[in-house]
Structure formats: C-alpha cells, structure tokens
Amino acid sequence: PVEGLHGGGRMVVKRKGQVNVERPTREGRSRYAFGVHTVEEHLGYAAGQILEIWLAEPLNRARRDLATRAASLGVAVRRVALPEIDRACPGASHQGAIAVLREFRYAEIAELTRARPRLLVAADGVEDPRNLGALIRAVAAAGAGGLIIPKDRASAVTPATEKAAAGVTAFFQVARVTNLARTLGELSKAYGYWVAALAQDGAQNLYRSELPEPLVLVVGGEAGIRPLVRQNCDTAVAIPMSAGVESLNLAVAAAVACFELRRRLG
C-alpha cells in the first residue's frame, strides 16, 4: 500500500484512480498525514507546514470542525468524495481527513542539543513505521528532548509513523543520522552526554542505577541494539520483570524507562 506521497508539492488523484506521486511543484516535495486527530495536531502545532487539507464529503461533525479550524488559520481545504481519499491512502484508517504537508524536516544534532535537554533518546533499527510512531509518542510524553534514528536499516518518519504518533511529529524533533554509533560518540565527547543502553541483559537495574545527566537513552528496534552501537554506550540498564515475561513492546519499554528518568530529574 502507498504510505506517502514523496514527489509532489500537491497530492493529486487522477479520475482513473491513479495517484500522481512524481509531480514537483513550487512548494517542493510533500507528504501527507491522515486521521482526524493527527490533522488536528498539525493545525495546532504546525499549520505553516500544511499545504492543504482534504476532507471527505459529506462532512460529519469532526471534519466540519477541522474545516472551521483550517479556515481560521488560512489553510486551504478541499472537499472531495470519500473514494478519492481511499485511493490516495488505501487501507489506511484516515477517517476522511488528510493533511498534505511539506516534506518532513529532520532536526540536526546541534538543534537537539542547543537547549541542552537532560534526556535524549536514540532508537537503533526500528523498521516498522508504526512502532516508530508509537515510540515517538511515548518518549515525547515522558519529556525527552528529541529522538535520534539512523538512516540505514530503519524506518524513516512516514505517514504511518505520524498516524501512530497521533500528530506528535508536528512539534517533536527527530534527527536522522548516517552513523548512529559515531553520533553517540560525538554526543559523549563534544556535548558531555552520558550514554545508556536499555537492554534485557543490562548490568544495572533501571530503578537502582545511577545515571548522570545529560543522558542519551538508547533503545533497540525489532532486532535489538547492534553491537557497534552498544559499544558506544557507557553502560546498560534493564527493566526488572516478573518471571515468565521476557520483554516489553519497544514503546512501552521506552516509556517505562523515560518516565522513571523523568521522575528522577524532577
């Protein structure tokens, strides 16, 4: 299924049901975010990133509210037939609402560290875009200052990611780096960050560990943290679990760790 439109400044659906994904415009490359709540979040936090909103007719109350909010912010709205949105994002739970956005802008490491946040999160090898979205929402809720992801063997921020994040990507910074291991080394040496891996075999119990700040918490995706990335961590911590439970979902584990660290930091 098509998860995003990466080639046109406008999302264009032809009458024969073909999606034009290769048409550059003055606005540059674009993508879309779908779902009523996700569109609401972008209107609230990043209206300037919206090229236009598509709403399926007839408008229900939720879509009517979106149209009113968009108009008050000067965001263009297109009222279209529901099948057009179905063709644009087949299989997606779009709720008849799409925000066509400018291309997602990844932050630079210097931007993430400018305000010297006490907690950053790095995710190694998260290949499922929905898992990435759930992770973004979890660590943002826990107060992390940003997320770092690698370009290789990992999902980028896609429409499915933004849907799973429920619009948090409208304001939460994500950096995408070429070499995650090297970036962790730079954060340690150049920025003074302590780096801790969250792993089942971590030598320290999360709740009894002493972790200096500022801190980068490294979490692993579906295949875990790669050895070279692990080598660039100063320590590893584990979440103690009851017998018979081997692991937690990535976003849940990250949320448990980040909220514990937030509790300590105050």
Side-chain angles (χ1 to χ4, degrees):
V2 178
E3 289 191 334
L5 305 181
H6 301 286
R10 294 273 176 139
M11 181 166 61
V12 180
V13 179
K14 297 179 181 179
R15 286 300 173 185
K16 293 183 179 180
Q18 299 296 315
V19 180
N20 184 342
V21 298
E22 297 286 342
R23 188 172 181 175
T25 71
R26 288 177 299 175
E27 292 93 346
R29 294 159 67 84
S30 67
R31 71 197 198 284
Y32 66 81
F34 51 80
V36 169
H37 185 63
T38 302
V39 174
E40 284 177 342
E41 289 290 313
H42 279 84
L43 283 170
Y45 293 101
Q49 292 298 309
I50 302 175
L51 298 175
E52 66 178 2
I53 289 174
W54 284 25
L55 299 175
E57 291 188 311
L59 300 186
N60 58 15
R61 181 174 179 178
R63 294 195 290 271
R64 196 160 48 243
D65 289 345
L66 284 179
T68 301
R69 181 78 184 279
S72 70
L73 295 170
V75 176
V77 175
R78 286 185 63 184
R79 296 168 63 162
V80 301
L82 183 60
E84 292 192 72
I85 295 183
D86 288 336
R87 288 193 293 268
C89 45
S93 179
H94 52 68
Q95 299 172 302
I98 292 178
V100 185
L101 310 169
R102 290 182 172 83
E103 185 177 19
F104 184 81
R105 180 185 175 279
Y106 292 97
E108 301 292 336
I109 293 298
E111 293 178 80
L112 290 190
T113 57
R114 186 172 296 145
R116 199 169 174 77
R118 293 184 290 178
L119 175 64
L120 294 172
V121 177
D124 187 33
V126 181
E127 298 181 356
D128 187 319
R130 293 168 182 81
N131 285 345
L132 178 61
L135 175 65
I136 289 172
R137 185 165 180 79
V139 301
L147 177 70
I148 305 166
I149 59 175
K151 291 181 179 178
D152 62 316
R153 299 179 184 179
S155 173
V157 175
T158 71
T161 301
E162 297 192 286
K163 173 67 172 176
V168 171
T169 51
F171 59 87
F172 186 72
Q173 289 188 308
V174 179
R176 197 175 185 214
V177 299
T178 301
N179 188 314
L180 182 57
R182 184 166 58 220
T183 297
L184 293 176
E186 292 173 356
L187 284 166
S188 177
K189 295 174 183 177
Y191 297 94
Y193 276 82
W194 186 262
V195 183
L198 181 64
Q200 289 176 263
D201 62 349
Q204 296 189 69
N205 180 318
L206 170 67
Y207 299 105
R208 298 175 184 169
S209 62
E210 293 185 6
L211 299 174
E213 60 175 84
L215 176 72
V216 180
L217 181 70
V218 183
V219 299
E222 293 82 359
I225 301 173
R226 290 173 292 177
L228 186 57
V229 173
R230 181 76 174 261
Q231 290 172 22
N232 281 271
C233 297
D234 298 300
T235 188
V237 297
I239 299 171
M241 288 182 282
S242 299
V245 181
E246 295 182 358
S247 63
L248 294 172
N249 169 277
L250 168 66
V252 172
V256 168
C258 287
F259 275 105
E260 165 61 14
L261 294 170
R262 178 178 180 175
R263 182 191 65 79
R264 294 186 200 179
L265 297 174

